Amino acid sequence: MSNQLTTNRRTFLKLSGTAGGGLILGFNLYGCATLPSDPLFTALEINAFILINGDGTAIIRAKNPDIGQGVKTSLPMILAEELDLPWEKVIVEQAELDSRMGSQFAGGSTGVKTNYDNLRKAGAAVRDVLVRAAANQWNVPITEIKTEDGFVISGRKKLHYGHLAEAAAQLEVNENPPLKDPQDFKIIGKSKSDVDLQKIVTGQPLFGLDQEIDGMVYATVLKPDVFGAKLRSFDATEALKIEGIIDVFEIEGMDNPTRMVDGVAIVADKLWTAFKAKKLVKANWSNPRGYIASNRQLMADFKKGINAKGEVLREDGNVDSEFRSNNNQIEATYDVPFVSHSQMEPMNFIADVRENEIDLTGPTQTPGSAAGLANMITGIPRENIKVKFTRIGGGFGRRLGNDYASEAVFISHKLKRPVKLVWNRENDFLGDYYRPAGCYHFKAAMEGSKLTALDVNICTTSRYLYRGSSPAHGTEAFPDQQPAGMVPNFRIAYTPLLTNIPVGALRTPGMNATTFAYQCFMDELAQNAGKDPIDFQLEMIGEEDRDMPYSDHGGPSYNTTRLRGVINRVRQESGWDQPAKDGVSRGFAGQMVFGTYVACVVDVRNANGKIKVDQVHIAADCGRVINPIGAEAQIQGGVTDAISAALYESLELDRGKPKAQNFDQYQKLRMKDSPDVHVHLTDSNEQPQGLGEPSYPILFPALVNAVSRSIGKRVRELPLKKHGLV
Amino acid sequence: MPVYSINVNGKSRQVDVDADTPLLWVLRDTLDLVGTKFGCGIAQCGACTVHLNGNAVRSCSLPVSTIGDNEITTIEGLSENGDHPVQSAWREHDVPQCGYCQAGQMMNAAAFLSRNSNPSDEDIENAMHGNICRCATYNKIKAAVKTAATNM
Ligand code: FES
Ligand code: FES
């Protein structure tokens, strides 16, 4: 086995500034005649993503925050695949905020899609330097070398990655290394359980709420119960009498309400003490002018909005002239409510603001922007701000904003000591950035079963307007959304509504509302024309293989063959063409969402006017699937999450205050009402797309179409609870 | 502040906290047993579920002063090596998504299965009704509870 020797040096090597600009840790490689049984060195960094250990295992850094979408597992799988290292030899570590890794965030189902090519390259680059190191050592051409199971092999020569790492680290990294033929994939496409699974089932500290740092104190906040209210004054006399209270002071909101809002900080030596003291703080708030006091008021504003002349976002043909000449017209208005994120782990963050340095630790989907806000609040330069991000107990878009991290920074800055900020659940409801509520009006003209004109008017509480970005319709209305491009006369107009109610991104922002409205209306049109809803949509999509231009997220185009593919698949798997079981009504919806094609059939039962969701079939084509077990889980989770929202969820206001501030009032789906979700994934070699979101929006119309059929009446407003249907 | 002596995962622990402090915060902030999670604080979500003499209870709503010498088990103490049938089943089905609710789910399932080792679907649904999974992993939780039942 002497050919396994890479070096006989017994010296301690310290390399720096080598491949990847990495810092090299303890490196102590002894010559040996057999594979080392003990790790002789650890964590030799070849590039920012991969560190090789002497025992042949590798540490792979997971670059993005994991909010439950599984990227802490799937992204390292891509690296390990091209590194050609068995998954059992991979140790996944959460990366910190590190500019070498490129953008690090969780949102828009982009984790796999935007990183796939780069991570393949990063993994292959490390394999490539290992191969070249072996070639140098053996003096054989690279073409005669292969890798397998963590070994570099040429003929009878065989070296362990760990043996070659030192030599490899000194080679220049190839920017465009050779990539594997996907047919040879051993990890991608094979189910791998979550890398944190063992830690989760044994209750190890993983989440933001589980972290602590030396010398920290606890803080919580008091918030107004009318959104956007400003703090006038407060009285903390009683609170300060409590043993263990350290301080109570004002948090001054920032100009942009997505960055930090007004509140009162309560700081104590124990969290429970802070929670208790909060109840004793008396605060005086001034409500924002023109605040939304009731759902009825909101509705009236929406009706004004959809009757206003909105900004025209797309116009094909001539809708008006078609309406003048065609009397077969159908109109409908759909409404969606504000929906809370209600992610399971309440907001929390740890900040340690020192003289000229900051350490941040916590659950955030956008660690870079947390650092940016810390800089804004303290003036401490970005390069002196470190961010560690933890596993996240649910994101759903809530932790794209870092208002709570801002609060932790503000409090630590003021107190000059490390602070762990924790909100309680009531804070979460009072401090959420809700899924925008909106109103969607459709007017269609039909010729037989053919849609000849469609006029869409949308008014929503724009989240871009709320956060001060443009255009206002961004993530609210999608001009190219199906059936745009399939109808000769088509127009879509948008009117934004700015209210005091904080709005933000929630699982498929905007798309989760428009998909409901569009796909329900298509069902109405089909019914009106006496057509099967699937046939109706298939005819509209057409037989041709077309790439439909699509200027939004998931574009620049979508393909009609792939769309038909998932529709036909779900049709077949759900038994759509066979008669439904007794008492069962079915609903359908199908569309491209954020680059992934989804089609869904929902079965419901109607028991004395109450709806029970029986089962769901969903077909999805997300291109190449990285981790099938994770993919299936995301789709099931998205569908079931949407059932919860469709059945129960809405923000109800009472004189401007949310009626529900905890789970006793804000109902979430529980196991009893959670149906079996059958997932049918397309086996595909196309470029991989995201899966954390696309199944969510498609459930709403499929479910509501089933419900409308079941009760014999169109439901055009969510949630179903409002109509006494659950 | 009074000192309480409580029995957690087979060990007697002294804690110096206010009488009204919920067991949840004693576990998390005083004893560094952070596997038990905070979700709602009002006994609605089940994230904080632990065992009190083998019964599933909501630690967020259990003041430390009421515990006396009852035995508390947390997820960290459910098994020595993480191999309680419930934990094994959770691994086998790769149940968690974000994972935050799962300690509560497992503690609830373990207590339930210790009394009913041959549950029907309906038994499982009723028993697990108090635990919210915001990521909606219910299909997998149900499958894992069934697997665990066969291995109890
Ligand atoms: S935290 Fe105890 S039940 Fe929710
Ligand atoms: S796994 Fe996220 S809340 Fe259950």
Side-chain angles (χ1 to χ4, degrees), chain A residues 613-693:
Chain A
V613 186
D614 230 27
Q615 60 169 344
V616 178
H617 282 272
I618 177 163
D621 172 0
C622 61
R624 184 180 299 285
V625 176
I626 307 298
N627 187 11
I629 195 175
E632 185 179 314
Q634 288 305 305
I635 295 172
Q636 274 185 340
V639 161
T640 314
D641 182 7
I643 296 174
S644 181
L647 296 183
Y648 313 120
E649 299 185 38
S650 68
L651 169 69
E652 299 295 320
L653 297 164
D654 176 21
R655 280 164 296 165
K657 301 171 187 175
K659 285 188 198 164
Q661 298 183 17
N662 207 324
F663 294 131
D664 54 341
Q665 297 293 321
Y666 195 90
Q667 195 175 349
K668 300 291 294 183
L669 190 81
R670 293 168 188 264
M671 187 187 279
K672 214 180 278 181
D673 301 308
S674 168
D676 285 342
V677 179
H678 308 283
V679 177
H680 313 286
L681 273 166
T682 304
D683 192 5
S684 164
N685 297 329
E686 300 277 349
Q687 194 69 4
Q689 302 289 325
L691 268 184
E693 295 171 289

Side-chain angles (χ1 to χ4, degrees), chain A residues 557-623:
Chain A
S557 65
Y558 67 94
N559 179 269
T560 53
T561 304
R562 292 180 72 185
L563 179 57
R564 276 199 314 274
V566 290
I567 294 175
N568 286 325
R569 178 88 190 270
V570 85
R571 175 177 211 153
Q572 182 207 334
E573 300 280 1
S574 67
W576 179 266
D577 294 314
Q578 281 90 59
K581 271 184 266 160
D582 252 7
V584 168
S585 300
R586 290 191 292 216
F588 160 80
Q591 196 190 271
M592 185 278 287
V593 177
F594 287 9
T596 291
Y597 300 80
V598 280
C600 188
V601 169
V602 177
D603 289 9
V604 303
R605 265 173 213 282
N606 177 349
N608 303 320
K610 301 287 179 202
I611 292 296
K612 170 104 180 125
V613 186
D614 230 27
Q615 60 169 344
V616 178
H617 282 272
I618 177 163
D621 172 0
C622 61

Side-chain angles (χ1 to χ4, degrees), chain A residues 689-712:
Chain A
Q689 302 289 325
L691 268 184
E693 295 171 289
S695 66
Y696 183 73
I698 207 68
L699 180 281
F700 293 93
L703 169 60
V704 173
N705 291 337
V707 171
S708 293
R709 207 148 288 135
S710 167
I711 63 171

Side-chain angles (χ1 to χ4, degrees), chain A residues 15-38:
Chain A
L15 308 167
S16 63
T18 51
L23 165 79
I24 276 95
L25 302 175
F27 183 86
N28 198 357
L29 184 59
Y30 291 89
C32 51
T34 55
L35 288 180
S37 54
D38 300 322

